[in-house]
Amino acid sequence: MDIKKINQTKIFANEIRIETLKELAEIGSGHLGGALDLADLLAVLYSGAMRIDPKKPDCPDRDYLVISKGHAGPVLYAALALKGYFPLEMLKTLNQPGTKLPSHCDRCKTPGVDMTAGSLGQGIGAAVGIALGNKLQGRDSDTYCIIGDGEMDEGSVWEAMLLAPQFCLDHFIVFADHNGLQIDGATNDVVGLGDISKKVSEFGWYVVDVDGHDAEAITAAIALCKKAGVPAFVNLHTVKAKGWAKYENKVESHYVKNISEADILEPISVLQDEIELLRKTL
Ligand SMILES: Cc1ncc(C[n+]2csc(CCOP(=O)(O)OP(=O)(O)O)c2C)c(N)n1
């Protein structure tokens, strides 16, 4: 794999984290942990894995992304703004009255957002519908979906898991953000999922386990999934709040209040130092 391309993707991931932190500091609170931990995946998806054109967000032949754990809106907005879907300046309006960037994703408000989400367990069913619609209309568009491991406690997720192989949705890739935590504790302590990969595999999916912070491994996994010929599931092992050491792997990172401009200086400085090191390799 091209190391320069991978390092560019890593730089992009840190830029996404920095913009996400700035968004949350601007409004002073928000879903921090489950947003930061998706930056590496989004960097891969928006660095070439997905067929998209920021100038034509509604082009029917694009690839589609449903973030079913809709509370991760801020990290998606950071990626979209950095890709040029809308001005970076707009990120300052996160969750403000009249904004196009509500805390939870809304397809009617934000250019580049393909599905409204927030009520957990709904987005993956919508993604099955999108993938099926594309198949019936003969498009070769890929549909991607991101769900949370806590979200997988919802029964509707497993209904969608049953349907995708039934419809032979071979252009469908679901990522589980497997950080082991949810709103009020460890997922295993709330409703344990057991061996997620084994379970999903038994539903008829192609399954691959990946380090969710390794851009190269994520890229390789997507390539495998595209060849699978059946719906594909990436068990993405992540660290909640990855990129802000103070909050990493902490339940309290789920929703953080009183985030100030001063608070984010330290994590941003660490992320910028990493960017500088990576730039030297280009
Ligand atoms: C149907 C529904 N029930 C409850 C909630 C409240 N809620 C918001 S986030 C969350 C935890 C989600 O955990 P997970 O999917 O693991 O997300 P992550 O830890 O990656 O942020 C809950 C229960 C919701 N949004 N929707």
Side-chain angles (χ1 to χ4, degrees):
M1 214 171 281
D2 180 350
I3 189 73
K4 280 193 181 172
K5 170 95 175 100
I6 292 295
N7 285 349
Q8 274 165 345
T9 307
K10 289 181 180 174
I11 290 172
F12 184 32
N14 271 13
E15 289 170 343
I16 292 172
R17 287 194 169 90
I18 290 171
E19 293 306 326
T20 306
L21 289 170
K22 288 193 202 161
E23 281 177 81
L24 296 177
E26 181 72 29
I27 185 145
S29 60
H31 290 94
L32 175 84
L36 286 183
D37 70 3
L38 289 179
D40 304 287
L41 171 61
L42 292 183
V44 170
L45 290 175
Y46 285 98
S47 290
M50 282 203 307
R51 186 176 60 195
I52 44 111
D53 179 353
K55 292 193 180 65
K56 295 183 199 157
D58 298 325
C59 174
D61 292 329
R62 70 190 185 279
D63 288 344
Y64 296 73
L65 171 64
V66 176
I67 300 202
S68 190
K69 39 168 282 190
H71 56 282
V75 73
L76 176 60
Y77 306 149
L80 293 174
L82 286 162
K83 285 303 286 183
Y85 280 84
F86 46 80
L88 273 172
E89 197 60 17
M90 210 166 105
L91 293 177
K92 290 187 179 159
T93 70
L94 175 74
N95 218 15
Q96 305 281 3
T99 188
K100 288 185 178 165
L101 307 178
S103 63
H104 295 60
C105 299
D106 186 332
R107 64 181 285 274
C108 298
K109 292 207 162 113
T110 317
V113 169
D114 289 326
M115 183 44 69
T116 304
S119 177
L120 295 170
Q122 307 294 313
I124 182 170
V128 166
I130 292 170
L132 179 60
N134 284 331
K135 190 179 173 93
L136 292 175
Q137 291 178 62
R139 291 192 193 112
D140 70 347
S141 301
D142 292 321
T143 303
Y144 296 87
C145 178
I146 303 173
I147 58 177
D149 57 347
E151 182 178 15
M152 291 183 80
D153 287 345
E154 298 283 351
S156 50
V157 169
W158 296 95
E159 218 175 313
M161 288 287 177
L162 278 173
L163 277 178
Q166 179 76 24
F167 292 135
C168 306
L169 299 180
D170 52 343
H171 283 269
F172 188 38
I173 303 178
V174 173
F175 300 89
D177 179 0
H178 193 172
N179 55 33
L181 299 174
Q182 49 180 285
I183 195 168
D184 47 7
T187 300
N188 277 340
D189 294 338
V190 181
V191 180
L193 293 159
D195 186 337
I196 296 177
S197 292
K198 186 163 174 276
K199 281 200 172 97
V200 176
S201 171
E202 283 169 358
F203 275 57
W205 293 58
Y206 173 78
V207 176
V208 56
D209 278 66
V210 169
D211 174 349
H213 305 303
D214 181 339
E216 189 168 9
I218 298 169
T219 307
I222 291 172
L224 286 174
C225 290
K226 286 188 178 185
K227 285 189 217 146
V230 288
F233 179 86
V234 182
N235 188 349
L236 202 70
H237 297 268
T238 56
V239 174
K240 196 154 176 172
K242 176 76 176 171
W244 191 348
K246 173 178 151 181
Y247 285 107
E248 281 181 8
N249 206 20
K250 301 253 167 53
V251 178
E252 56 269 30
S253 77
H254 184 78
Y255 188 92
V256 180
K257 291 180 184 161
N258 302 319
I259 307 173
S260 70
E261 302 285 341
D263 290 337
I264 62 168
L265 291 178
E266 192 259 326
I268 287 183
S269 154
V270 173
L271 293 163
Q272 269 166 345
D273 286 350
E274 286 174 12
I275 289 176
E276 286 317 310
L277 281 178
L278 288 162
R279 284 218 171 105
K280 287 186 183 138
T281 69
L282 301 180

